[in-house]
């Protein structure tokens, strides 16, 4: 019916706007039973670092009202293992593979990006500068604009892949962070990562997470995420990947209207393993009911 | 086969104070669940509770299956109000199973509290003469499935914390007595256990002391149930492992209790 | 049974820690049908300004997952009308009346505080420097530490009443804001006000609130609020009034353990008009079940 | 009297496609609700939906009362699944009422769609010979309470958008015809209306044109229902007023439509 769902993220073209949020879709394999991966806009894998990491002790997750806290602590198999053991599976599919990565220092970011840049079968990089689960001093990558500019522009130098910077919502001014990422050379931004939260078990008097605090995700944070996407949209010209509490097509459309060019489903996958496909179908139905021929028309179309 | 399916509640019976037996009729043929496997159930379409809840396969009825559960909080509270005809979203069967080798001479099953849910399915699968079941609970009122066990020809060794039925004491103490009295039992046997953490910790000590091998099914908070969120790990001698994927059944000796 | 529930906020002593959150309890009268006001720890009234304000156009509220957005726009009858028409009713009760107030400029803050300071029957002031519903440039009172220090220390000069500063959660570092308020002379801090959020009606393509964005409150934000109370507790010595998503005694206790000396119930009043009393009873039951004789023992007692 | 109470669902009947009639039995004697008053209902104890939902008093049965509602979204969807015996938390009766002065010669009631819920209670309260009821809906299938009105001796003037029953057209157009044909009607009458916004806007124009006085019940998103949150305001010639407190019933001429 001639509907155009395609999305441009820098040089990268997605066939449709439905992506997976890093850390919620593993390396794709587990969900391939529920979702025809070839139908996704792109797959974003669990955050990787140069070396494998064992992550935080359990308990690592706890449910909260309409949301969940996680403190996985960036457990991952490391870039080398990913390339050897996980990437071959993903290469079978025709969709872009986007690798989410992070480092403990600027030089680690650079090394990781350089290594990923050389690897065939990786189509874009998503820099996580915002994960709140790490120790003191680290969160500065995503909250101090000067440091953000530095780390993003250094990474920009070592990769010609589409570079997405994933922003932390735990800041006073998200649009400043968005602008900083744009100025430093990002091709796109992901908005938002998790809000830092905490839950206490009043029976034991102990935090419910071994890590004490964790990242809040799920429907509870959707209003904050939509607002941040809208603020970023008013500020930057690079495309925005919207995420935070998307579990239905209606949610996804809210993000498009607020200014997102693409969206990612995170916690929604846990609630419904087929969420991404249901959302894609729902977006199509909405567009045809509204007579919208091109998805690009929806981006930022909120009438304020 | 895609393990996401809808199921109709055909029965949801209160069998003891806080305990219910749920019978589900899947809309499609599902993979046969093995003892140790579990299902993730949406108790509701509301966003609160948000996540699916994990429950062990308790009884496989050929096409339908049963879940034995206790009202522990909000999600199970809502589940207990589901009535015949209600629909639930389910993912499963998930996780690994109790690996029962043919060569094991005699098998000792140990269930504590709701641990009987999966242990029952294992007992049902095994020949009755091949195993001994130790079953403990806080009180007589919390002992479940006694009649069903009997009709399978199984006479469990029972202990209750308050002595209202069977031995008085915790089930691992009773097991210990048995082990000291029947030294033969020790080496030729495999333990298969499920129950609360203190019981499993005591069992681990016992297993180490008497050099017993075996398996236990663990629990952990879960989000995805599919191995992707890395939320449900437990510490093992080989590092963190996911309860939903490498488990819920682990070798007794591999678990590192903190 | 000799349980001590009292709380000290500067010079002010509360008989118990259960307060009402500004803007959710009117001027007390409406809820007096459901709650014996004499049993509250304190009553905090709707935010007042020097002049009456008509607030934002409707729609002003919309429900979100386990929360709500509001954009009342600080509608209020003004300080003079409050003193004339509402305060006499409140004076009948033996509990402290805490007046929440705000201004558009430092001089308005000073004038408002001065006027309230002279008024008999007002026991403490809560400065709102954090309401996210106002126009551009205004939110700076609650997000720029320099400005926060200035406005709080100026207000401190004109009042000897207990001065509570209510912090905005829409900041990178809540503990810095807490420290700033403490250094500027605050006797206590309220943590947290609402998180800025947005919701879009995908049928009409318009924001669900006429004001576009609004403040997110209710259970959805509780994990963020608990985390912020905990971070403030580690940083300041003045008492913290915890709020954000408290609807039950269990929620309240979480805040005490995280570091709150008192708590306030906001959105919870809408869900259950007797919430404050149910929470008070629940706190007592918890304390007696745990053998805790003094509420002060619970404050910050989380075992990390 | 404290207007918070628990009520048992004694009936929750689907009367048309998306329309239900809920009968509630309060646990205690409540204030007698007047036409125009409303109740805030918790459809569920879950945190999603979070807030209570407002519903007009439809019928007062002396102790029990009825709510007529349409499934409009999540909350009403859940409400439609409540069964006899379920408990709900309710606050009410709330708001002001339709002020019916004895001196009014003849009264014209106008209901659009679900506006019939409160208008019915007003019709029931008035003597049948003292009023005329204009009742419009999208289609025949959405006309409610026709039999009940008849059994009160009320024969409404009916209009449907699609002409499947009564006049074809919107109810305000039919009313306009009546007013032009019966010039006497114009000044001696009071209008009492409830219905969707476009209908009320059209009615306001009509009232201005023919210099008619009257009242209409409005809706607005609500949080507290008690006048404290200031969330439910509408714009009037005297500034913002709260639908839950100064309303839901307002004089027609005081509302400023944007
Ligand atoms: C593999 C596996 C199999 C299980 N099998 C059964 C079973 O057959 N029958 C049964 O009754 N229960 C079983 N459980 C436990 C069951 O999942 C929890 O009781 C349930 O999730 C509690 O949900 P709730 O909303 O009622 O409680 P909540 O209000 O969420 O919490 C109440 C209590 O339950 C604990 N809890 C919450 N989620 C989990 C979880 N995912 N796993 C363990 N504890 C949790 C909380 O820490 C808390 O102490 C199993 C758990 C796992 C991981
Ligand atoms: C004073 C008053 C009396 C009412 N009387 C009745 C009645 O007798 N029968 C009846 O069926 N409905 C009545 N309503 C409307 C009813 O409250 C809404 O249909 C209901 O709240 C929708 O809840 P939901 O969760 O199903 O819908 P949601 O999923 O919350 O929303 C669905 C739609 O309903 C609208 N809506 C949501 N909340 C309200 C609200 N508080 N008021 C108006 N619209 C809302 C939303 O904007 C949306 O378009 C009344 C509303 C008011 C204010
Ligand atoms: C269990 C879990 C693990 C996550 N891991 C990562 C990660 O490794 N890297 C990252 O950038 N974001 C990670 N996130 C954040 C998500 O990608 C997403 O930004 C966030 O959860 C908000 O979206 P949601 O509400 O749809 O889940 C994780 C989230 C969850 C819930
Ligand atoms: C309808 C509404 C109005 C509010 N008005 C004010 C206000 O006037 N001044 C203020 O400082 N906070 C105001 N708040 C914020 C609350 O006092 C409280 O900080 C916030 O809602 C978080 O608590 P809760 O989740 O319990 O509601 C308002 C909140 C709501 C929901
Ligand atoms: S529950 Fe997600 S990995 Fe196990
Ligand atoms: S609903 Fe709160 S003032 Fe009307």
């Amino acid at each position: 019916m001639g509907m155009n769902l395609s999305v441009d993220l820098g040089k990268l073209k997605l066939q449709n706007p439905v992506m997976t949020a890093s850390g919620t879709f593993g390396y794709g394999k587990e969900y391939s039973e529920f979702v025809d991966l070839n139908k996704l806009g792109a797959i974003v894998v669990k955050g990787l670092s140069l070396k494998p990491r064992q992550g935080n002790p359990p308990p690592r997750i706890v449910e909260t009202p309409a949301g969940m806290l996680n403190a996985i602590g960036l457990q991952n198999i490391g870039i080398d293992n990913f390339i050897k053991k996980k990437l071959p599976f993903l290469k079978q599919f025709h969709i872009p593979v986007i690798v989410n990565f992070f480092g403990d220092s600027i030089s680690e970011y650079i090394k990781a990006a350089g290594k990923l840049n050389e690897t065939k079968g990786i189509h874009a990089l998503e820099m996580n500068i915002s994960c709140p689960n790490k120790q003191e001093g680290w969160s500065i990558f995503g909250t101090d604009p000067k440091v953000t500019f530095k780390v993003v522009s250094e990474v920009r130098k070592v990769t010609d892949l589409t570079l997405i910077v994933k922003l932390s919502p735990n800041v006073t001014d998200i649009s400043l962070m968005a602008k900083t990422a744009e100025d430093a050379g990002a091709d796109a931004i992901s908005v938002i990562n998790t809000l830092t939260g905490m839950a206490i078990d009043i029976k034991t008097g102990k935090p419910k997470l071994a890590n004490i605090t964790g990242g809040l995700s799920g429907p509870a944070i959707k209003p904050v995420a939509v607002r941040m996407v809208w603020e970023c949209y008013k500020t930057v010209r690079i495309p925005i990947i919207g995420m935070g509490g998307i579990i239905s097509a209606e949610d996804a459309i809210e993000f498009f209207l607020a200014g997102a060019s693409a969206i990612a489903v995170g916690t929604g996958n846990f609630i419904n393993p087929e969420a991404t496909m249901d959302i894609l179908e729902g977006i199509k139905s909405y567009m045809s009911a509204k007579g919208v021929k091109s998805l690009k028309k929806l981006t930022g179309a909120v009438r304020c | 086969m895609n393990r996401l399916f809808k199921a109709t509640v055909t029965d949801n019976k209160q069998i003891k104070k806080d305990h219910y037996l749920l019978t589900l009729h899947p809309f499609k043929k599902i993979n046969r669940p093995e003892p140790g496997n579990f299902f993730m159930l949406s108790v509701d379409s509301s966003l609160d509770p948000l996540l699916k809840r994990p429950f062990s396969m308790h009884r496989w009825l050929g096409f339908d299956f049963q879940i034995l559960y206790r009202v522990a909080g909000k999600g199970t509270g809502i589940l207990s109000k589901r009535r015949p005809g209600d629909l639930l979203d389910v993912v499963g069967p998930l996780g690994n199973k109790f690996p029962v080798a043919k060569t094991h001479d005699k098998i000792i099953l140990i269930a504590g509290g709701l641990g009987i849910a999966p242990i029952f399915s294992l007992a049902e699968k095994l020949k009755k003469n091949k195993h001994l079941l130790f079953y403990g609970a806080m009180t007589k009122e919390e002992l479940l499935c006694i009649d069903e066990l009997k009709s399978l020809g199984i006479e469990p060794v029972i202990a209750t914390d308050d002595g209202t039925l069977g031995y008085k004491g915790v089930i691992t103490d009773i097991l210990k007595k048995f082990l000291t009295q029947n030294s033969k039992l020790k080496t030729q046997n495999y333990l298969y256990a499920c129950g609360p953490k203190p019981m499993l910790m005591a069992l681990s000590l016992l297993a180490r002391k008497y050099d017993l091998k075996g398996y236990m099914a663990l629990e952990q908070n879960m989000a995805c149930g599919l191995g992707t969120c890395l939320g449900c790990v437990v510490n093992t001698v080989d590092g963190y492992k996911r309860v939903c994927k490498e488990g819920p059944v682990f070798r007794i000796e591999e678990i590192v209790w903190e």
Side-chain angles (χ1 to χ4, degrees), chain B residues 16-19 70 111-114 135-146 158-171:
Chain B
K16 291 269 166 141
K17 191 163 57 89
D18 288 332
H19 297 82
R70 187 175 69 86
L114 256 171
Y135 180 18
M138 304 270 275
T139 168
K140 185 183 163 183
E141 272 314 292
E142 305 215 328
L143 285 163
L144 311 169
C145 317
I146 298 296
I158 285 173
T160 49
D161 292 6
D162 62 359
T164 41
L165 200 77
Y167 294 91
K168 183 179 160 93
V170 294
I171 195 70

Side-chain angles (χ1 to χ4, degrees), chain A residues 87-120:
Chain A
L87 193 55
F89 170 80
L90 290 171
K91 277 186 180 162
Q92 304 168 61
F93 301 93
H94 328 304
I95 55 159
V97 172
I98 301 180
V99 172
N100 180 288
F101 74 103
F102 65 95
D104 274 346
S105 60
I106 295 191
S107 70
E108 268 186 42
Y109 269 105
I110 297 171
K111 266 190 227 150
K115 196 169 223 173
L116 292 165
N117 189 56
E118 286 160 18
T119 308
K120 287 236 170 62

Side-chain angles (χ1 to χ4, degrees), chain A residues 268-290:
Chain A
N269 295 306
F270 308 155
I271 301 166
N272 169 15
E274 292 177 357
T276 45
M277 290 302 108
D278 293 353
I279 289 169
L280 179 59
E281 287 313 308
I283 293 171
K284 288 183 195 163
S285 311
Y286 178 85
M287 286 174 64
S288 70
K290 289 269 177 184

Side-chain angles (χ1 to χ4, degrees), chain A residues 52-111:
Chain A
R53 275 176 188 256
Q54 70 159 7
N56 290 326
R60 290 179 170 185
I61 48 178
V62 59
E63 194 177 283
T64 66
M68 61 176 279
L69 288 168
N70 88 78
I72 308 302
L74 296 171
Q75 174 180 345
N76 79 91
I77 57 173
I79 290 177
D80 291 336
N81 281 322
F82 168 74
I83 295 172
K84 247 181 286 164
K85 297 182 193 160
K86 303 292 178 181
L87 193 55
F89 170 80
L90 290 171
K91 277 186 180 162
Q92 304 168 61
F93 301 93
H94 328 304
I95 55 159
V97 172
I98 301 180
V99 172
N100 180 288
F101 74 103
F102 65 95
D104 274 346
S105 60
I106 295 191
S107 70
E108 268 186 42
Y109 269 105
I110 297 171
K111 266 190 227 150

Side-chain angles (χ1 to χ4, degrees), chain B residues 193-226:
Chain B
C194 185
K197 197 163 154 178
M199 177 192 113
L200 297 180
M201 288 171 77
L203 192 71
S204 299
L205 287 176
L206 216 60
R208 184 173 313 155
K209 183 159 172 194
Y210 293 97
D211 196 25
L212 286 161
K213 295 264 172 299
Y215 296 89
M216 52 192 182
L218 303 187
E219 292 192 1
Q220 185 60 277
N221 291 2
M222 288 185 179
C224 70
L226 297 167

